[in-house]
């Protein structure tokens, strides 16, 4: 407490001292209501008891009061007394939503109840859905914060300690003349009319809530700019105002005006304190510990210390004597109504300064300057309760615990004021991406914003092949109106948060189809970008072969590992949109026929397939070479025919026994005469200068080619059925005449045997 503090305090005490000097004084402590005390002390005690119980019964239930008259003086019939009145009571309301001020806030939104666990949008009636996201954010934050404090008051008794001073006149019968009574309450170091701490009508309190919510919605239409991050005090921290409140109540007591706790100073002033109730972990300043005590409570609530504000710097110990380094200049706005530049304190009001906020006594405002200039502050306390009806504070020197205070009382002679500060944090908003790293954050991260202010917009940008899914807040209370909204803006910062953007690979539908002449499996797949590949299988129809896989659209939405294999895997590309569709098609075709030249080498037949680098060896050189698809697998195998006992005996590769067909004088040929995918045998005879084709399963022969030519057969046009052909030996080469083809093919030496095969 400063010298000015003690001087003003002395003025308040002198009234009592004067009465003690000129009148009859009763230094009493036993006069407590409920005892059998009679006389002036008993009359005063009973009056104060009834005044408190009756006064608070309008808003509270189970009201009881204990009166401890600490001093009483008489001057004729005039009586003056001081007493500590401890009033224990409980809110009448059974739910937060029924508390008048909170009910008024809800009424502006068209609501009757509030659930802090769900979004405000889900609770708003249809008529209020036009509120902007920022208005919803600010309204929900205010309702949630007040709900947190108020819910702790429901059905919970508490005690308010009133230090009252009564001046009045005793009547002849010993009773008090109530028309003469003047009742004051200690308001820090000052005395103010006591009726200000009694509950006002519920309608007035409800109107306060209406006005507050209207102001919140109005302010939410104005863009909030984060503070300059280069400022001295601007650093990330959180502040738990209820923890700070609990600390304040833990380390003080009600001693003000109690003679047993009076400490007189050389200048004639007196202070009241009990250091046994102070925290021994900190230094004590018995000449004035109010700011030291408040600094401790703020620290307990989580307010970050720094080089300028820590034990026991000027800002920690001094309210306002230094215009730069003292507590208020360092921690609060430089003038009433300004935006905080360096500190966490923001001006509030009597109605809406919650527990954990600060109350500052200021006086002697300099004419022409802003009211409440911090240089004039002389006392500070921590607010410990605001239930919308009763406001309490706790402080040191003079020590008070849960003492009520009234709306601002202006003493014109002193020009004193009451200022209220709420503690605003500077919070860190961090935006990141999940472990899948399917995208990145566009915008500022991290951001440092003042409590209650808005951050700037950030966007979760997916990489190609991914899409944004949602935001997730590490504190689990991500407002629903920003999740999964993208871009995202966080309104009304109330703490440090880390927000993670989740991305997922685009998932598309891939149709697997067959162009005919075979089947595919599976036929449809839901495939996600970045997921393991899916295996697909193409199964050819009999007589056909698998050609390749192909995809649409182009550029392709899928990548095939090896499109030439009938069984392979595919994955989606980054081009696949989420919900997109792509098609993979398997193509089948009949194997093309190619020329085969056969030579006799060391008693065996060597089959040279067109385009092959090595021959196939099968059969004796005395046999007639043939080729054909004997098993219907789409690929031709070799064979050898021997002339035996006037017949052609067919030895076919892979067959367990030979087949007899045609006369030994005929030329053996093979081909798929019926298009069933398996080659059949045939025999060609030379007759009347022509080649006469006898084909297995056919009812009549075919005539094609000259008798001087060598008969061959193959599917020259890819229609699935073999056609006939004839090869002549000309100028040392084999010349291939194929039925239906416009020109012959030259392949092989004239000394070789011509054959046709599907390799």
């Amino acid at each position: 407490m400063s010298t000015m503090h003690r001087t003003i305090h002395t003025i308040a005490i002198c009234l009592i001292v004067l009465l003690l000097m000129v009148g009859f004084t009763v230094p009493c402590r036993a006069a407590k209501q409920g005892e059998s005390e009679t006389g002036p002390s008993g009359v005063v005690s009973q009056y104060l008891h009834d005044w408190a119980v009756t006064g608070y019964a309008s808003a509270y239930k189970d009201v009881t009061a204990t009166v401890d008259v600490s001093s009483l003086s008489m001057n004729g019939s005039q009586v003056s007394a001081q007493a500590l009145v401890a009033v224990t009571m409980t809110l009448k309301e059974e739910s937060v939503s029924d508390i008048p001020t909170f009910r008024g806030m809800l009424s502006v939104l068209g609501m009757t109840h509030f659930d802090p666990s769900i979004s405000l949008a889900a609770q708003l009636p249809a008529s209020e859905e036009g509120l902007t996201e920022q208005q919803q954010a600010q309204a929900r934050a205010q309702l949630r914060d007040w709900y947190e404090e108020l819910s702790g008051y429901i059905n919970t008794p508490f005690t308010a300690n009133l230090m009252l001073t009564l001046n009045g006149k005793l009547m002849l019968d010993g009773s008090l003349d109530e028309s003469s009574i003047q009742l004051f309450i200690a308001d820090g170091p000052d005395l103010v009319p006591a009726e200000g701490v009694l509950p006002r009508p519920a309608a007035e309190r409800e109107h306060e809530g209406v006005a507050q919510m209207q102001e919140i919605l109005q302010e939410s239409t104005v863009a909030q700019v984060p503070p300059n991050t280069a400022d001295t005090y601007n650093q990330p921290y959180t502040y738990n105002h209820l923890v700070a409140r609990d600390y304040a109540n833990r380390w003080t007591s009600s001693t003000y005006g109690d003679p047993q706790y009076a400490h007189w100073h050389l200048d004639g002033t007196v202070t009241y304190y009990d250091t046994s109730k102070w925290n021994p972990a900190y230094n004590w300043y018995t000449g004035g510990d109010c700011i030291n005590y408040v600094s401790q409570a703020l620290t307990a609530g989580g307010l970050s210390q720094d080089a300028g504000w820590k034990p026991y710097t000027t800002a920690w110990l001094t309210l306002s004597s230094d215009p730069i380094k003292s507590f208020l200049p360092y921690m609060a706005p430089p003038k009433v109504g300004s935006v905080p530049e360096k500190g966490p304190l923001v001006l509030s009001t009597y109605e809406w300064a919650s527990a954990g906020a600060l109350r500052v006594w200021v006086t002697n405002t300099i004419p022409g300057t802003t009211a409440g200039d911090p240089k004039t502050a002389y006392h500070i306390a921590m607010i410990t309760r605001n239930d919308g009806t009763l406001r309490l504070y706790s402080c040191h020197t003079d020590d008070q615990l849960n003492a009520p205070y009234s709306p601002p009382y202006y003493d014109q002679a002193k020009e004193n004021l009451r200022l209220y500060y709420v503690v605003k944090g500077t919070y860190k908003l961090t935006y990141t991406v999940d472990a899948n790293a399917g995208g990145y954050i566009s915008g500022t991260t991290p951001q440092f914003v003042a409590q209650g202010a808005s951050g700037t917009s950030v966007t979760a940008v997916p990489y190609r092949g991914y899409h944004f899914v949602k935001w997730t807040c590490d504190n689990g209370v991500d407002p629903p109106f920003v999740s999964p909204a993208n871009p995202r803006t966080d309104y009304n910062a109330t703490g440090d948060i880390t927000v993670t953007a989740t991305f997922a690979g685009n998932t598309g539908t891939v149709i697997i189809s067959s162009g005919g002449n075979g089947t595919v499996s599976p036929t449809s797949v839901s495939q996600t970008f970045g997921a393991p590949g899916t295996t697909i299988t193409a199964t050819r129809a009999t007589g056909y072969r698998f050609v390749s896989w192909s995809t649409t659209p182009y550029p392709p939405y899928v990548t095939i590992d090896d499109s030439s294999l009938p069984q392979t895997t595919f994955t989606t590309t980054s081009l696949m949109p989420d919900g997109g569709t792509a098609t993979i098609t398997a193509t089948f075709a009949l194997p093309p026929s190619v020329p085969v030249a056969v030579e006799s080498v060391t008693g065996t037949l060597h089959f040279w397939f067109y385009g092959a680098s090595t021959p196939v060896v099968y059969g004796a050189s005395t046999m007639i070479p043939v080729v054909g698809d004997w098993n219907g697998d789409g690929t031709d195998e070799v064979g050898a025919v021997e002339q035996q006992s006037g017949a052609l005996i067919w030895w076919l590769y892979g067959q367990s026994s030979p087949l007899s067909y045609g006369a030994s004088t005929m030329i053996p040929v093979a081909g798929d005469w019926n298009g069933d995918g398996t080659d059949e045998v045939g025999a060609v005879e030379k007759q009347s200068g022509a080649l006469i084709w006898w084909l297995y399963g056919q009812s009549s022969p075919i005539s094609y080619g000259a008798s001087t030519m060598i008969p061959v057969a193959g599917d020259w046009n890819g229609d699935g059925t073999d056609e006939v052909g004839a090869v002549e030996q000309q100028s040392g080469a084999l010349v291939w005449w194929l039925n239906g083809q416009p020109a012959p093919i030259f392949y092989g030496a004239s000394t070789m045997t011509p054959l046709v095969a599907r390799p």
Side-chain angles (χ1 to χ4, degrees):
M1 185 183 298
S2 64
T3 301
M4 181 180 292
H5 179 177
R6 291 196 299 271
T7 301
I8 295 173
H9 180 80
T10 301
I11 296 173
I13 298 300
C14 283
L15 294 174
I16 301 171
V17 175
L18 180 62
L19 289 171
L20 292 174
M21 294 174 61
V22 301
F24 173 71
T25 301
V26 180
C28 55
R29 297 208 52 78
K32 296 183 180 181
Q33 193 281 327
E35 300 177 359
S36 58
E37 179 73 20
T38 59
S41 292
V43 170
V44 169
S45 178
Q46 187 64 50
Y47 175 83
L48 295 178
H49 170 272
D50 295 345
W51 175 87
V53 170
T54 302
Y56 287 107
S58 63
Y60 298 91
K61 61 183 178 180
D62 304 326
V63 182
T64 61
T66 299
V67 182
D68 183 359
V69 179
S70 57
S71 66
L72 184 144
S73 62
M74 295 288 298
N75 184 8
S77 62
Q78 296 295 319
V79 60
S80 181
Q82 281 190 313
L84 175 63
V85 181
V87 184
T88 301
M89 48 195 158
T90 305
L91 278 172
K92 285 185 175 182
E93 290 76 24
E94 297 293 328
S95 73
V96 173
S97 297
D98 292 332
I99 295 175
T101 50
F102 199 81
R103 186 170 66 237
M105 296 176 73
L106 293 178
S107 68
V108 177
L109 302 173
M111 298 166 55
T112 57
H113 293 85
F114 174 72
D115 184 346
S117 66
I118 61 177
S119 71
L120 185 64
Q123 303 180 69
L124 287 173
S127 59
E128 301 297 332
E129 290 179 353
L131 294 178
T132 67
E133 290 181 352
Q134 187 171 351
Q135 286 176 319
Q136 290 185 43
Q138 295 282 53
R140 180 178 183 271
Q142 287 284 338
L143 291 172
R144 184 188 60 214
D145 289 349
W146 281 104
Y147 190 96
E148 179 187 22
E149 179 174 352
L150 295 174
S151 61
Y153 301 150
I154 300 298
N155 294 320
T156 302
F158 72 100
T159 299
N161 296 303
L162 292 69
M163 189 63 205
L164 296 174
T165 296
L166 180 146
N167 295 321
K169 181 179 180 181
L170 287 176
M171 301 180 71
L172 294 177
D173 61 0
S175 63
L176 279 170
D177 179 1
E178 295 191 8
S179 64
S180 69
I181 294 176
Q182 293 179 312
L183 192 59
F184 301 92
I185 188 169
D187 183 46
D190 300 327
L191 294 178
V192 300
E195 62 267 18
V197 302
L198 294 179
R200 287 171 295 154
E204 291 185 20
R205 290 177 274 145
E206 185 170 347
H207 180 72
E208 287 178 2
V210 170
Q212 174 69 358
M213 181 55 69
Q214 289 173 338
E215 183 177 346
I216 291 168
L217 298 180
Q218 178 67 28
E219 290 177 349
S220 299
T221 62
V222 180
Q224 300 187 51
V225 180
N228 181 359
T229 56
D231 283 337
T232 304
Y233 198 89
N234 193 3
Q235 56 180 307
Y237 65 89
T238 57
Y239 179 70
N240 189 319
H241 64 117
L242 299 183
V243 172
R245 171 202 66 187
D246 294 342
Y247 179 94
N249 286 339
R250 167 69 177 83
W251 295 109
T252 193
S253 58
S254 291
T255 63
Y256 179 62
D258 192 332
Q260 66 175 320
Y261 296 111
H263 298 270
W264 292 89
H265 303 279
L266 294 177
D267 60 1
T269 60
V270 60
T271 53
Y272 297 87
Y273 57 85
D274 180 2
T275 56
S276 70
K277 300 298 193 299
W278 293 7
N279 188 350
Y282 287 94
N283 293 345
W284 296 344
Y285 299 89
T286 56
D289 200 62
C290 64
I291 183 58
N292 180 40
Y293 161 80
V294 165
S295 292
Q296 296 170 28
L298 292 173
T299 297
L303 193 62
S304 298
Q305 298 177 10
D306 66 1
W309 181 72
K310 64 180 180 179
Y312 297 92
T313 60
T314 300
W316 182 277
L317 293 176
T318 310
L319 264 177
S320 60
S321 61
D322 188 305
I324 297 176
K325 296 181 180 179
S326 296
F327 179 82
L328 285 177
Y330 190 77
M331 304 281 276
K335 60 182 179 179
V336 176
S338 67
V339 176
E341 295 179 354
K342 293 185 178 181
L345 304 187
V346 175
L347 279 165
S348 184
T349 63
Y350 161 82
E351 290 82 7
W352 297 103
S354 62
L358 305 181
R359 190 166 187 256
V360 179
W361 284 251
V362 294
T363 192
N364 295 335
T365 302
I366 302 172
T369 64
T370 302
D373 187 306
K375 291 192 297 295
T376 66
Y378 62 89
H379 188 47
I380 190 169
M382 175 155 284
I383 297 170
T384 55
R385 182 185 179 99
N386 182 350
D387 61 18
T389 298
L390 189 62
R391 281 83 175 169
L392 307 179
Y393 69 91
S394 295
C395 63
H396 273 191
T397 334
D398 301 302
D399 289 5
Q400 290 182 282
L401 170 64
N402 284 332
Y405 63 91
S406 63
Y409 170 75
Y410 301 96
D411 185 332
Q412 296 300 324
K414 299 177 183 178
E415 299 182 8
N416 60 350
L417 302 171
R418 303 292 180 266
L419 297 182
Y420 305 88
Y421 292 95
V422 293
V423 183
K424 296 287 187 179
T426 299
Y427 298 120
K428 184 179 182 180
L429 313 181
T430 303
Y431 302 93
T432 185
V433 300
D434 65 6
N436 292 330
Y440 63 95
I441 301 298
S442 175
T444 302
T445 181
Q447 299 177 21
F448 294 94
V449 301
Q451 180 179 350
S454 300
T456 57
S457 177
V458 294
T459 304
V461 182
Y463 293 127
R464 194 166 66 176
Y466 292 86
H467 63 278
F468 171 75
V469 177
K470 65 176 181 178
W471 297 101
T472 303
C473 251
D474 61 345
N475 60 12
V477 294
D478 196 25
F481 57 81
V482 294
S483 180
N486 190 32
R488 170 194 181 107
T489 301
D490 280 285
Y491 302 111
N492 196 64
T494 57
D496 294 350
I497 59 171
T498 297
V499 184
T500 301
T502 299
F503 302 90
N506 292 344
T507 299
T509 299
V510 181
I511 307 299
I512 300 94
S513 68
S514 166
N517 305 314
T519 59
V520 294
S521 178
T523 58
S524 179
V525 173
S526 180
Q527 185 72 21
T528 300
F529 178 71
T534 298
T535 299
I536 52 176
T537 303
T539 304
R540 65 181 180 81
T542 302
Y544 289 82
R545 67 184 178 90
F546 171 78
V547 178
S548 66
W549 298 99
S550 61
T551 68
T552 54
Y554 188 84
Y557 289 173
V558 296
T559 297
I560 300 172
D561 288 354
D562 190 338
S563 61
S564 67
L565 297 178
Q567 185 174 81
T568 186
T569 59
F570 78 87
T571 55
T572 54
T573 71
S574 62
L575 298 176
M576 171 69 84
D578 193 45
T581 302
T583 300
I584 299 177
T585 302
T587 300
F588 302 93
L590 288 167
S593 297
V594 298
V596 179
V598 182
E599 65 177 330
S600 176
V601 180
T602 61
T604 58
L605 296 175
H606 287 230
F607 296 76
W608 291 89
F609 285 76
Y610 182 77
S613 60
T614 58
V616 177
V617 179
Y618 184 76
S621 59
T622 58
M623 295 180 175
I624 302 171
V626 293
V627 292
D629 184 5
W630 317 126
N631 56 15
D633 65 356
T635 302
D636 281 352
E637 294 80 40
V638 298
V641 182
E642 63 177 326
Q643 296 163 312
Q644 185 185 103
S645 304
L648 295 177
I649 306 301
W650 299 71
W651 295 90
L652 307 178
Y653 184 83
Q655 303 299 309
S656 59
S657 59
L659 173 68
S660 176
Y661 183 77
S664 59
T665 58
M666 295 181 175
I667 301 169
V669 293
D672 184 6
W673 318 127
N674 56 14
D676 65 355
T678 303
D679 283 345
E680 292 81 38
V681 299
V684 181
E685 63 177 326
K686 298 180 180 181
Q687 186 183 103
S688 303
L691 296 177
I692 306 301
W693 298 70
W694 295 91
L695 306 178
Y696 185 84
Q698 303 297 313
S699 58
S700 58
I702 297 173
S703 175
Y704 182 79
S707 60
T708 58
M709 294 181 176
I710 302 170
V712 292
D715 184 5
W716 317 129
N717 57 15
D719 65 357
T721 303
D722 284 345
E723 292 81 39
V724 297
V727 181
E728 63 177 326
Q729 295 164 315
Q730 183 186 101
S731 303
L734 296 179
V735 181
W736 300 69
W737 296 90
L738 308 177
N739 188 18
Q741 301 302 307
I745 296 174
F746 289 82
Y747 181 70
S750 59
T751 58
M752 294 181 172
T753 301
L755 294 175
V756 177
R758 300 181 181 92

